[in-house]
Amino acid sequence: KEVETQTKLANVVVLATGGTIAGAGASAANSATYQAAKVGVEQLIAGIPELSKLANVRGEQVMQIASESITNDNLLQLGRRVAELADSKDVDGIVITHGTDTLEETAYFLNLVEKTDKPIIVVGSMRPGTAMSADGMLNLYNAVAVASSKDARGKGVLVTMNDEIQSGRDVSKMINIKTEAFKSAWGPLGMVVEGKSYWFRLPAKRHTMDSEFDIKNIKSLPDVEIAYSYGNVSDTAYKALAQSGAKAIIHAGTGNGSVSSRVVPALQELRKEGVQIIRSSHVNAGGFVLRNAEQPDDKYDWVVAHDLNPQKARILAMVALTKTNDSKELQRMFWEY
Ligand SMILES: NC(=O)CC[C@H](N)C(=O)O
């Protein structure tokens, strides 16, 4: 009977990339001072014997870095490996352990480009495993639980942090240090409690199976950069980014993606030279940028990032630019994804 139950368990692959979930500090009191990306995937899995009751789990070390150092090449490498595994008949779900600093970017990228309905869960932790009340074990346990459940299929890339199941599109690291770091302006999709998922809502935006983007057709990602706005801002950064070859500039704007009168002329000029200008908002708890409200986007031929924060807008812009350089098409994609 035991053998029978064993064969019914889902096969889950844990792809490890580094971050605090693989971090180690000098003492149990070091919850914030430690080195990220130290512990290997085998040790992470071996540290949670209870995983074997949830699924047949195996690990792969894809990279071992702090996530602020992730490059576009790293994203493509990870995305391709996820796609290979998702295509494999003996893989039912994929978990990616990741640093939390850019976790929201990777989760959104995979949400756009992975053509599968198999669960893909991105997970991290706010405290290293060596610290008191480390959160990584439970977050990873929850990730494997969701990855091995049939309920999680077709819901896009998900993030399990702090007992919640978040949409990889919506979620953002809104707080640091605290374990309740990951939030979405639109709320979590569900909760995981003692290895069981409880769902409350579904993502409304296009993702994975319903996406027009496919990692298999993406050879490289174009250079898209972000310029931050604030009082007394100048146009220096915008011009320099364009000069260094940016195909699009994400304006990390104040409020409703507003643009200083000191910057507007430079952005009009850059657009005429072919650079895409994408207005987003850097307000903390979730921006929402309306077309033609703060600026005449139709007249200037600019794009608005909808509710995407600047770093997520960069991800969609890169992926979108692999298909089109038409600003109207880009705007459609920003409404739909
Ligand atoms: N909590 C974390 O994972 C942060 C550690 C590191 N900065 C990273 O993103 O990998």
Side-chain angles (χ1 to χ4, degrees):
K1 195 149 192 217
E2 208 172 309
V3 175
E4 210 175 290
T5 347
Q6 282 292 323
T7 52
K8 276 187 193 146
L9 287 180
N11 296 325
V12 172
V13 181
V14 177
L15 296 179
T17 71
T20 296
I21 194 163
S27 97
N30 286 126
S31 58
T33 308
Y34 56 86
Q35 276 191 288
K38 283 278 145 205
V39 179
V41 66
E42 297 308 333
Q43 206 181 322
L44 285 185
I45 293 170
I48 316 173
E50 293 77 7
L51 290 181
S52 64
K53 297 227 168 64
L54 293 176
N56 302 311
V57 180
R58 68 176 174 89
E60 265 181 47
Q61 194 76 45
V62 179
M63 54 195 102
Q64 184 67 296
I65 57 176
S67 73
E68 62 271 26
S69 301
I70 277 207
T71 62
N72 288 347
D73 285 343
N74 292 145
L75 272 186
L76 290 173
Q77 179 199 351
L78 177 65
R80 286 175 188 140
R81 187 63 192 133
V82 169
E84 279 169 10
L85 290 169
D87 279 348
S88 158
K89 276 206 191 79
D90 59 4
V91 174
D92 300 304
I94 299 159
V95 169
I96 297 139
T97 60
H98 200 289
T100 56
D101 288 7
T102 62
L103 188 152
E104 68 201 76
E105 298 178 36
T106 298
Y108 187 40
F109 175 71
L110 299 174
N111 193 58
L112 292 171
V113 301
E114 299 297 338
K115 304 295 287 179
T116 180
D117 65 353
K118 292 181 184 174
I120 300 170
I121 321 297
V122 193
V123 66
S125 77
M126 297 305 293
R127 296 175 182 149
T130 47
M132 285 183 268
S133 291
D135 53 331
M137 260 174 99
L138 183 55
N139 288 347
L140 181 53
Y141 180 76
N142 287 345
V144 171
V146 177
S148 57
S149 84
K150 290 213 165 56
D151 294 356
R153 289 182 86 111
K155 292 188 168 74
V157 174
L158 303 166
V159 172
T160 54
M161 299 283 292
N162 203 33
D163 300 351
E164 292 176 335
I165 308 168
Q166 299 273 2
S167 159
R169 177 203 183 268
D170 298 339
V171 78
S172 179
K173 187 179 188 175
M174 295 214 189
I175 299 171
N176 67 335
I177 305 287
K178 297 181 183 179
T179 52
E180 55 158 333
F182 280 75
K183 293 178 188 293
S184 154
W186 315 121
L189 304 180
M191 295 274 295
V192 206
V193 183
E194 296 185 349
K196 185 167 163 35
S197 313
Y198 299 86
W199 297 93
F200 297 98
R201 59 189 100 249
L202 292 172
K205 300 290 185 181
R206 293 175 70 176
H207 61 75
T208 55
M209 293 300 279
D210 185 36
S211 170
E212 69 202 83
F213 311 112
D214 185 341
I215 185 74
K216 286 172 193 143
N217 303 327
I218 301 177
K219 301 220 158 32
S220 64
L221 292 167
D223 183 15
V224 175
E225 303 287 343
I226 302 173
Y228 201 89
S229 203
Y230 45 89
N232 205 49
V233 66
S234 79
D235 59 13
T236 311
Y238 298 85
K239 286 178 173 165
L241 292 172
Q243 204 155 27
S244 77
K247 299 284 177 283
I249 294 177
I250 309 298
H251 169 70
T254 41
N256 180 17
S258 52
V259 188
S260 161
S261 56
R262 300 178 72 196
V263 171
V264 169
L267 295 195
Q268 286 178 278
E269 191 50 41
L270 293 178
R271 182 67 201 105
K272 282 193 192 120
E273 290 166 16
V275 180
Q276 298 288 350
I277 305 299
I278 301 170
R279 292 197 300 118
S280 70
S281 168
H282 68 57
V283 300
N284 293 317
F288 195 103
V289 181
L290 291 166
R291 235 188 123 74
N292 300 316
E294 282 282 352
Q295 291 289 334
D297 298 293
D298 287 347
K299 187 173 153 203
Y300 296 164
D301 196 24
W302 295 348
V303 172
V304 297
H306 195 14
D307 65 322
L308 294 178
N309 67 22
Q311 57 273 31
K312 285 182 189 269
R314 185 188 77 95
I315 296 290
L316 178 54
M318 289 195 302
V319 170
L321 284 169
T322 65
K323 285 228 154 186
T324 182
N325 194 26
D326 181 278
S327 60
K328 292 200 173 56
E329 267 292 275
L330 289 176
Q331 186 62 73
R332 173 187 66 77
M333 291 165 178
F334 271 88
W335 294 136
E336 293 181 1
Y337 294 88

